Amino acid sequence: MKAATKTAPDKARARPNAAPKVGFVSLGCPKALVDSERILTQLRAEGYLIAPAYKGADLVVVNTCGFIEPAVEESLEAIGEALAENGRVIVTGCLGAKGNIVRETHPRVLAVTGPDATDEVMQAVHAHLKRPHDPYTDLIPPQGIKLTPRHYAYLKIAEGCNHRCTFCIIPSLRGNLVSRPIGEVMQEAENLVKAGVQELLVISQDTSAYGVDVKYRTGFWHGRPLKTHMNGLARALGGLAGKDAARGVWVRLHYVYPYPHVDEVIPLMAEGKILPYLDVPFQHASPKILKAMKRPAGSANNLARIRRWREICPELTIRSTFIVGFPGETEADFEQLLEFLEAAQLDRIGCFAYSPVDGARANELPDHVPDAIKEERKARFMALQETISAARLKRRIGSTLTVLVDAVGAKGALARSTADAPDIDGVVHVAPHATLKAGEFARVKIVASDTHDLRGALA
C-alpha cells in the first residue's frame, strides 16, 4: 500500500516557523507495514508532521519490499517516483538489505537502510531534516500511528526467521528470529484494544517459533508471569476479549508452521478465546519437493494434523500458500499436491508459480520447470481449489454469522467473518441497512455464496 499520493513536485522547501513534514510510501507485507507504523509513530513523537502527498513534504521515506522480482520492480519504481515528485528520498525496508541495488539504480537517494530499522531511519531524517525544537509527544496516541483502519491492527511479535528455505531470502534480509518481550507485546495489544481495535492480527515470519530464541523465558505483564511462547501469548490475547465481552476482540493467527505444539491452541479456538483460523504455509505436499525446499513436516503428517484440528474445532478455517513449478517438480509431484489439496479441503488458498529470487539457493537447483508448465499447473491447482472453496462456502447458506464490518456504502456493506482475514481472503456482502457501521460487529444471515465470497442480510 502507499501512504503518499502522486502529486506535482514541491518547489518551496522553506516554511519558517512550520514543523517539518515527512511524506511516506509503505510497500510490502504486513510485517513491513508494522515497520512503517513504528517509523511514523516516532516521527510524530518527535514533532514531525506527516505529509499526505509529495507536495508539501520536506522529504519522503519509502519503505520497500525486496522478496520477489515484481516486488523489487515495484519498490524501485516507487523510489523513482518519489525522487521525481519530491527529490529528497530516504529508503528503508527489505530492498535496502539487498546489496547496492538501490544506490546503483537511484544514486540520488539520501540514505538507505534495511528492514526493522526505525533508529537508522530517524538518524537519516535528523541528518537531512532538522528535528523540531519542541516535540509534541502528547499528540501520539498510546497505540501509535497506524496505517490500517481503526478497527483492526497487525501485532508483530517477532522479527527474522531461523528457517533456511531454499526459495526464500528473508533471513538474509531480516536476520534470525528475534522475539519481542511478551510483556511489551501484550501492552501494545492492550493499548490497541483500548483505542477501539476490534481485531488483532498476530504476525511474524514464524509465529509458532515465538520465544525459541530466548528459550521461552518468563516475562511479565501487569505483574503476571507469562511464558514467551505462542500458546501462552494466544491465551493471554484471548483474555483481552474478556475485558470487553459485550464487544469482543478477535485474535487471528498468521504464519503458523505446523509444529506439534500448535495442536494446543486449537482448544482455545473451540472455546471461542481466539478465532478458529490458522494461516499455515504448507507450500507443497511432495516429500521430495518439501525436502528440496527445506520445509518442515511432510504431507502425511500435515493431513493427520488437519484432521485432528477439525475434530477438536469443526469451525476451524485453514488458509495456506503453495508454490507450483519449483525446480525438480515433476508431473507426479504435482499430482501428489493435487491429491493433498483434495484430501485436505483447505478453505483459503494462495498459489504462486515459482520465480527465482536473487540470492535464493533454489536458483542453483537442477531441472527448472518451464514457465508455460508452471502457469498451466497453477491454473489446474486454482481450478481445483475454486471447486473446493465454492462447495465449502455453499454450506454456510442459511447460517447466521458474526461479521466485522469494514466499509458501508449505498449498495450495502463489505464485512468479514471469522474465516476472512483482510486483503487476502473473501468477504461477506451485506444488504443495505441503516444500522450498519464500519468497525462494528453485526449478525448476518447468509443467503448466497460464490467461489470466494458470501452474501447476506442483517439477521
Side-chain angles (χ1 to χ4, degrees), residues 387-410:
T387 301
I388 294 171
S389 176
R392 294 187 70 81
L393 289 175
K394 190 174 182 179
R395 300 176 191 172
R396 295 289 188 180
I397 296 176
S399 64
T400 299
L401 305 178
T402 297
V403 302
L404 181 55
V405 179
D406 283 332
V408 178

Side-chain angles (χ1 to χ4, degrees), residues 220-244:
F220 293 88
W221 176 55
H222 293 324
R224 167 189 167 195
L226 287 175
K227 200 173 184 180
T228 308
H229 191 282
M230 184 189 77
N231 297 355
L233 176 64
R235 186 175 294 278
L237 289 172
L240 290 175
K243 294 183 179 181
D244 195 356

Side-chain angles (χ1 to χ4, degrees), residues 63-391:
N63 189 5
T64 61
C65 180
F67 183 40
I68 58 177
E69 193 58 33
V72 172
E73 293 173 0
E74 181 186 21
S75 293
L76 290 174
E77 288 176 4
I79 296 167
E81 177 185 285
L83 283 168
E85 299 286 348
N86 183 277
R88 307 183 74 213
V89 177
I90 293 170
V91 176
T92 187
C94 288
L95 189 60
K98 296 187 72 171
N100 297 319
I101 185 172
V102 174
R103 289 283 189 190
E104 291 172 353
T105 308
H106 297 295
R108 292 171 49 214
V109 298
L110 301 177
V112 180
T113 80
D116 192 33
T118 301
D119 291 344
E120 291 89 339
V121 171
M122 293 309 301
Q123 289 171 13
V125 171
H126 296 155
H128 296 281
L129 191 59
K130 187 177 179 181
R131 181 174 176 173
H133 175 67
D134 184 16
Y136 297 98
T137 55
D138 58 316
L139 297 179
I140 301 301
Q143 74 273 18
I145 304 295
K146 294 296 173 184
L147 299 176
T148 48
R150 186 174 181 268
H151 58 280
Y152 70 82
Y154 294 101
L155 182 66
K156 184 160 70 168
I157 64 172
E159 187 61 76
C161 183
N162 288 343
H163 292 293
R164 294 297 182 266
C165 302
T166 56
F167 57 82
C168 182
I169 58 171
I170 292 297
S172 66
L173 297 177
R174 292 184 172 262
N176 288 332
L177 177 76
V178 178
S179 300
R180 291 179 63 194
I182 192 165
E184 179 183 301
V185 173
M186 287 303 303
Q187 188 59 59
E188 180 181 350
E190 185 178 43
N191 290 343
L192 289 167
V193 171
K194 287 180 178 178
V197 167
Q198 305 275 40
E199 179 179 13
L200 297 169
L201 299 109
V202 179
I203 58 170
S204 68
Q205 290 301 138
D206 180 2
T207 296
S208 40
Y210 177 63
V212 70
D213 56 310
V214 294
K215 299 181 179 179
Y216 306 115
R217 69 182 173 212
T218 299
F220 293 88
W221 176 55
H222 293 324
R224 167 189 167 195
L226 287 175
K227 200 173 184 180
T228 308
H229 191 282
M230 184 189 77
N231 297 355
L233 176 64
R235 186 175 294 278
L237 289 172
L240 290 175
K243 294 183 179 181
D244 195 356
R247 182 171 60 116
V249 177
W250 284 1
V251 177
R252 191 183 300 273
L253 300 181
H254 285 275
Y255 310 110
V256 178
Y257 279 69
Y259 302 142
H261 69 260
V262 174
D263 297 359
E264 298 171 24
V265 302
I266 307 301
L268 295 179
M269 298 177 179
E271 296 165 14
K273 301 295 186 183
I274 63 176
L275 291 188
Y277 180 101
L278 273 183
D279 174 12
V280 187
F282 291 122
Q283 303 298 10
H284 213 281
S286 162
K288 184 189 82 176
I289 298 301
L290 289 170
K291 183 178 180 180
M293 290 178 169
K294 294 194 179 299
R295 296 290 292 179
S299 59
N301 291 335
N302 288 337
L303 282 174
R305 184 154 288 133
I306 290 169
R307 284 193 290 268
R308 185 159 60 251
W309 291 344
R310 284 177 169 155
E311 288 172 358
I312 299 170
C313 182
E315 292 300 308
L316 177 65
T317 294
I318 303 176
R319 123 167 296 278
S320 189
T321 52
F322 293 88
I323 297 173
V324 298
F326 190 78
E329 183 189 70
T330 63
E331 181 63 24
D333 294 320
F334 179 67
E335 289 291 341
Q336 193 166 5
L337 176 57
L338 294 182
E339 291 171 5
F340 172 84
L341 193 63
E342 185 70 60
Q345 292 287 298
L346 303 178
D347 301 272
R348 305 295 195 188
I349 290 294
C351 179
F352 304 90
Y354 171 79
S355 62
V357 176
D358 188 27
R361 287 177 293 165
N363 299 343
E364 303 168 5
L365 294 175
D367 303 322
H368 280 242
V369 180
D371 289 344
I373 294 179
K374 292 179 194 175
E375 294 302 326
E376 184 266 343
R377 288 177 180 171
K378 178 182 176 182
R380 288 163 58 194
F381 181 96
M382 291 309 299
L384 174 57
Q385 177 55 29
E386 286 177 359
T387 301
I388 294 171
S389 176

Side-chain angles (χ1 to χ4, degrees), residues 421-437:
D423 297 329
I424 57 174
D425 293 328
V427 297
V428 180
H429 298 272
V430 186
H433 196 283
T435 61
L436 288 169
K437 293 182 180 180

